[in-house]
Amino acid sequence: MSTIDKFNKNIMHTYGRYPLVMESGKDRRCKDENGKSYIDFGSGIGTNSLGYCNDKWVDAVCNQAKQLQHSSNYYYTRVQADFADLLCNTTGYSKVFFGNSGAEANECAIKIARKYSFDKYGKNRHNIITLVNSFHGRTICTLSATGQDVFHNYFFPFVDGFINVEANNIDDLKDKLDGSVCAVMIEYIQGEGGVNALNQDFVDAIFSLCQQKDVLVIADEVQTGVGRTGKFLAGEHFGKKANIVTLAKGLAGGVPIGACLADEKCADVLCAGTHGSTFGGNPLACAGGTAVLETVTADGFLQNVTEKSEFIRSELLKIDEVQSLSGIGLMIGISLKTKKAADVVKAALDEGLLLLTAKEKIRLLPPLTIDKQEIQEGVAILRKLLEV
Ligand SMILES: *Cc1c(COP(=O)(O)O)cnc(C)c1O
């Protein structure tokens, strides 16, 4: 039986998959089971931040696997201690909780926000403002937080206590940020929602209103974090430090991880018995994450991400069919004049290029380690597809 037949027989049909069986990869290229090679402009979904099987990352994960693959959180491990130390030092946050995915990181953030408020103000100050068109995950609670009606089907009842505000609408924010609210949760650049960055005035309004009212700001940086935008956190582009930041996707270079970082105001809200995760802080994930952090924070790396992003953006804008570009750094949305993004992404597979979509746009999340030559090769394929 073929791989695809086995999937169809045994795996729930929750994804619309492309007919490609991935077999191996090295750096920015991967191969399917027929030996066909692809340039990767998607990195999984921004997860393979150092590309496929990066040497330093492979050594870190393999050496850890040979030494200790898991320990319950009843004990301490040095690799989790060192990774947390590096992550807190890099980001300036006080403490971290480790889970295994973006949704879990956001669940933790939501729990911290509600308990922070409960501890200080008691009941009935539990609402969390999220933005229209946001995406925060697939668990029932993070789906409830997600501000897109298409996700609010079938699974009723959803979790109460989420209020949606229109992105970049300060009046709507002011109207809804009342005494029932304990947190505002944002993506600085909405990823799944179509690679749309918030504007500075709106971000300024969120932070100043929240500060006045002792409402926490949660930044969901699951997609934008860990160097994706040319800064370690996308919040730096806006000059802002949220009370809570969530990370996942690219954080451990392709092993499952989620991290919820909290500042001094709310770092000690969760105490023994209030939260946990069997796999959270897993040694393999922490070893992979350490390799990613050491690479991304090395001298000049993020500057290089910015330069590459300027290069790929200028190349893309030379294509006549490209209407406009969105996003920051190597998180890029491409609006097309006449063609459908989904059709282009499908056609690109035949030409050996992996792309993503986000709503009606083509979305690029190339490995942060991509080089100029590979950018040129990938863009040439895209140009060929867009100019026919
Ligand atoms: C992908 C994503 C999530 C969910 O992450 P999972 O690891 O799939 O649970 C949450 N928030 C944002 C902004 C994301 O891009």
Side-chain angles (χ1 to χ4, degrees):
M1 205 190 283
S2 77
T3 298
I4 291 177
D5 288 341
K6 282 183 192 160
F7 262 67
N8 289 336
K9 176 169 176 283
N10 300 304
I11 293 174
M12 293 183 192
H13 292 243
T14 58
Y15 301 100
R17 296 180 202 263
Y18 300 102
L20 188 170
V21 180
M22 200 70 93
E23 190 153 286
S24 64
K26 183 66 192 149
D27 297 327
R28 280 73 61 187
R29 291 174 207 266
C30 57
K31 280 190 180 153
D32 68 17
E33 63 177 357
N34 304 315
K36 182 179 162 71
S37 175
Y38 302 82
I39 298 178
D40 190 352
F41 274 11
S43 319
I45 305 177
T47 43
N48 296 337
S49 41
L50 305 183
Y52 294 94
C53 304
N54 167 276
D55 288 336
K56 179 183 167 82
W57 179 90
V58 168
D59 284 347
V61 174
C62 289
N63 288 337
Q64 187 59 48
K66 288 175 193 164
Q67 195 180 323
L68 180 80
Q69 86 278 27
H70 176 79
S71 153
S72 81
N73 280 309
Y74 295 128
Y75 311 109
Y76 300 89
T77 61
R78 185 184 296 153
V79 66
Q80 187 177 155
D82 288 346
F83 180 51
D85 197 41
L86 191 55
L87 189 55
C88 288
N89 282 334
T90 300
T91 56
Y93 281 87
S94 302
K95 287 195 172 75
V96 60
F97 176 86
F98 289 121
N100 313 285
S101 66
E104 281 178 66
N106 287 336
E107 291 270 350
C108 179
I110 291 162
K111 285 176 79 170
I112 292 174
R114 286 191 171 173
K115 186 168 182 296
Y116 172 84
S117 190
F118 179 86
D119 290 347
K120 223 165 151 179
Y121 303 100
K123 282 188 177 161
N124 297 323
R125 191 178 178 276
H126 57 252
N127 286 331
I128 295 177
I129 288 180
T130 59
L131 301 184
V132 173
N133 224 18
S134 57
F135 181 81
H136 298 298
R138 294 283 192 167
T139 62
I140 296 274
C141 182
T142 55
L143 273 184
S144 308
T146 291
Q148 301 188 49
D149 289 339
V150 291
F151 289 108
H152 300 156
N153 288 305
Y154 321 123
F155 312 116
F156 306 100
F158 287 91
V159 178
D160 250 0
F162 293 96
I163 298 169
N164 296 146
V165 161
E166 216 177 284
N168 297 326
N169 185 336
I170 296 176
D171 291 333
D172 197 23
L173 175 71
K174 283 182 174 159
D175 271 357
K176 291 173 181 166
L177 215 177
D178 60 20
S180 74
V181 173
C182 67
V184 176
M185 184 168 179
I186 57 170
E187 296 157 271
Y188 290 106
I189 309 167
Q190 297 188 330
E192 303 307 308
V195 196
N196 298 312
L198 299 182
N199 66 41
Q200 182 74 48
D201 288 348
F202 185 65
V203 174
D204 288 346
I206 290 171
F207 277 78
S208 75
L209 286 169
C210 285
Q211 184 150 27
Q212 283 165 34
K213 294 168 183 275
D214 193 19
V215 166
L216 299 182
V217 179
I218 302 170
D220 177 346
E221 294 230 30
V222 166
Q223 192 159 154
T224 55
V226 199
R228 174 55 52 193
T229 65
K231 304 270 189 200
F232 191 82
L233 296 176
E236 296 169 50
H237 291 285
F238 296 84
K240 293 291 187 280
K241 187 181 175 204
N243 301 105
I244 301 172
V245 167
T246 56
L247 300 173
K249 290 196 166 79
L251 179 58
V255 265
I257 192 166
C260 178
L261 292 150
D263 72 2
E264 59 287 345
K265 197 165 177 174
C266 52
D268 295 312
V269 166
L270 295 180
C271 47
T274 56
H275 200 42
S277 162
T278 297
F279 280 119
N282 171 271
L284 299 181
C286 290
T290 301
V292 169
L293 287 198
E294 285 176 356
T295 303
V296 169
T297 59
D299 264 358
F301 186 92
L302 290 175
Q303 180 56 34
N304 197 243
V305 168
T306 300
E307 284 162 19
K308 289 185 292 197
S309 120
E310 285 163 4
F311 177 65
I312 190 171
R313 284 165 186 270
S314 74
E315 289 296 293
L316 290 167
L317 285 170
K318 291 178 192 162
I319 302 173
D320 190 49
E321 171 65 15
V322 171
Q323 173 85 45
S324 61
L325 301 177
S326 64
I328 304 176
L330 288 178
M331 179 169 179
I332 302 172
I334 306 176
S335 298
L336 301 174
K337 287 181 183 159
T338 59
K339 293 192 188 316
K340 281 213 159 67
D343 297 340
V344 176
V345 172
K346 230 178 262 173
L349 283 184
D350 290 334
E351 302 296 326
L353 176 66
L354 303 183
L355 303 168
L356 300 165
T357 58
K359 291 282 187 294
E360 75 294 346
K361 291 178 190 166
I362 296 175
R363 173 175 42 159
L364 309 184
L365 299 169
L368 304 179
T369 53
I370 197 162
D371 66 26
K372 237 175 145 170
Q373 155 84 27
E374 292 153 343
I375 288 175
Q376 275 170 326
E377 257 180 80
V379 171
I381 294 173
L382 198 50
R383 181 182 301 115
K384 183 177 143 194
L385 291 167
L386 291 177
E387 287 183 348
V388 288

